């Protein structure tokens, strides 16, 4: 369903050209569970942003469910981002003046459901990440790991079939982190596609496939022998 | 040098009172190496902010080098924050419109040194965290782990004797994270005091003492048997 061919993403800074991604090719099918790993600065978030239609490659092509993303109009792109993909950002990107509940309800505004139903859905998503007792808190009234969990709930509230999570457990203790990975595992068992960027080998062992980046290139792309 | 007695930090939210910290007492001596652990939301960042004179407790007393912090004036507090303590924030808090170099130079503005010397010091600090090749980048032109390293360099550039690091490796791969912990270890061997909040047992094993929080209280405060 996701087909990347020769993807290059570069930045020109004065005299210098930085290759965030260099000639990356990979294909992902429906219902895969992939971990993306690699050193700090190796291009993982850049790759996630291109897969999530939030960034455009400088060269190469990306097809989403058989259609070239470069040929889609704004409405089609918005449709993918709002309904097909749930994105957990490495920096959370919560609205600072809205409560946890309001932040999680936001993606449902486009769904056409009643206000009551949206609120129920949002509370359910927050409960799934053990945040039901903090729904009236704004981001600056939450701990780092609590903000991370609100960002996860917001990504999952529309029940997207493709989940892109950029280091979703970076601010969580082991026990809470394992609960989140358990949540992703059940979503995977329901037929969804899970792509997680992680630094932690413990988290990566749950994935069925591991892709390792180094300096903007794919260093390794293997089936996980432990799964 | 740091003496906390009966520290409580609470927040009133409508009908509810949230105890971020409840009756926390602990003493830290010069040249200790302490890891603070505990579940998400257990009060670790709140404790760090009080130790770093960035937040005031609701009850209890805190003495810094023998003097009650509650009796210090703004100038004395600023002196502690700018010269004695280096703080790595869980959310980095970099200035978005300044480059990595400018962000790391900023704490030196008060030092009275020449512009040339400040720049040399900042480049040295950025080199210590392997960020010498990104000094002209602004935060939004850096990866998550690169921003984290700029925040670390900024905390260390004034050569403070007390280093407070709130999850300094949360966005770093294992190898880069170990380099940062190695850096903290050498600073410890030079006689400085290191306090690290971390979720990772691997990181905590390097500390000489481990303090565990749960629901705003000290659950455990032990010498690390592995060290
Ligand atoms: N301004 C605030 N208003 C209300 N509650 C707050 C506020 N700031 C923090 N809290 C609450 O205080 C508790 C402790 O927060 P703190 O940030 O110290 O946790 P933490 O241990 O650092 O967590 P994490 O590991 O997730 O970073 C949390 O339950 C949080 O929701
Ligand atoms: N706007 C930009 N301008 C210039 N360089 C950039 C820009 N954005 C990212 N980069 C560079 O591209 C490279 C890849 O960044 P990316 O955020 O994808 O890394 P990452 O693998 O997610 O790292 P981390 O594990 O630290 O989050 C980095 O070296 C970064 O400095
Ligand atoms: Mg990243
Ligand atoms: Mg915290």
């Amino acid at each position: 369903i996701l087909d990347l061919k020769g993807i290059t993403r570069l930045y020109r800074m004065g005299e210098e050209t930085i290759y965030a991604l260099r000639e990356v090719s990979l294909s992902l099918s429906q219902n895969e569970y992939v971990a993306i790993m690699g050193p700090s600065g190796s291009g993982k978030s850049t790759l996630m942003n291109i897969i999530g239609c939030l960034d455009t490659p400088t060269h190469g092509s990306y097809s989403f469910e058989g259609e070239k993303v470069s040929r889609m109009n704004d409405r089609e792109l918005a449709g993918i981002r709002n309904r097909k993909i749930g994105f957990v950002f490495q920096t959370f990107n919560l609205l600072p003046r809205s409560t946890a509940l309001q932040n999680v309800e936001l993606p449902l505004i486009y769904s056409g459901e009643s206000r009551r139903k949206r609120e129920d859905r949002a509370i359910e998503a927050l409960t799934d990440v053990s945040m039901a007792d903090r729904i009236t808190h704004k981001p600056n009234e939450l701990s780092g790991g609590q903000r991370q969990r609100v960002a996860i709930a917001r990504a999952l509230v529309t029940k997207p079939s493709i989940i892109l999570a950029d280091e979703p457990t970076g601010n969580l203790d082991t026990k809470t982190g394992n609960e989140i990975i358990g949540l992703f595992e059940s979503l995977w068992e329901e037929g969804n596609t899970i792509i997680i960027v992680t630094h932690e080998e413990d988290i990566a062992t749950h994935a069925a496939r591991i892709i390792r980046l180094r300096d903007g290139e794919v260093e390794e792309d293997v089936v996980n022998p432990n799964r």
Side-chain angles (χ1 to χ4, degrees), chain A residues 92-108 118-119 121-127 129-143 145-157:
Chain A
F92 317 157
N93 297 354
L94 300 177
L95 297 182
R97 296 207 214 105
S98 301
T99 63
L101 182 62
Q102 290 164 343
N103 264 284
V104 177
E105 282 177 315
L106 192 59
L108 296 172
R118 291 200 311 259
E119 189 173 283
R121 268 298 299 138
I123 290 174
E124 181 188 358
L126 283 159
T127 305
V129 297
S130 308
M131 285 294 299
D133 60 347
R134 291 277 185 276
I135 68 177
T136 58
H137 288 230
K138 298 199 181 70
N140 69 344
E141 297 167 334
L142 293 172
S143 77
Q146 290 169 343
R147 285 175 210 164
Q148 187 155 38
R149 283 182 276 162
V150 173
I152 293 166
R154 181 182 63 180
L156 302 182
V157 76

Side-chain angles (χ1 to χ4, degrees), chain A residues 11 13 18 20 38-47 90 166-167 199:
Chain A
Y11 296 97
M13 304 196 65
I18 292 178
S40 175
S42 56
K44 305 179 296 297
S45 296
T46 304
L47 179 59
Q90 187 171 6
D166 196 345
E167 303 202 31
H199 286 133

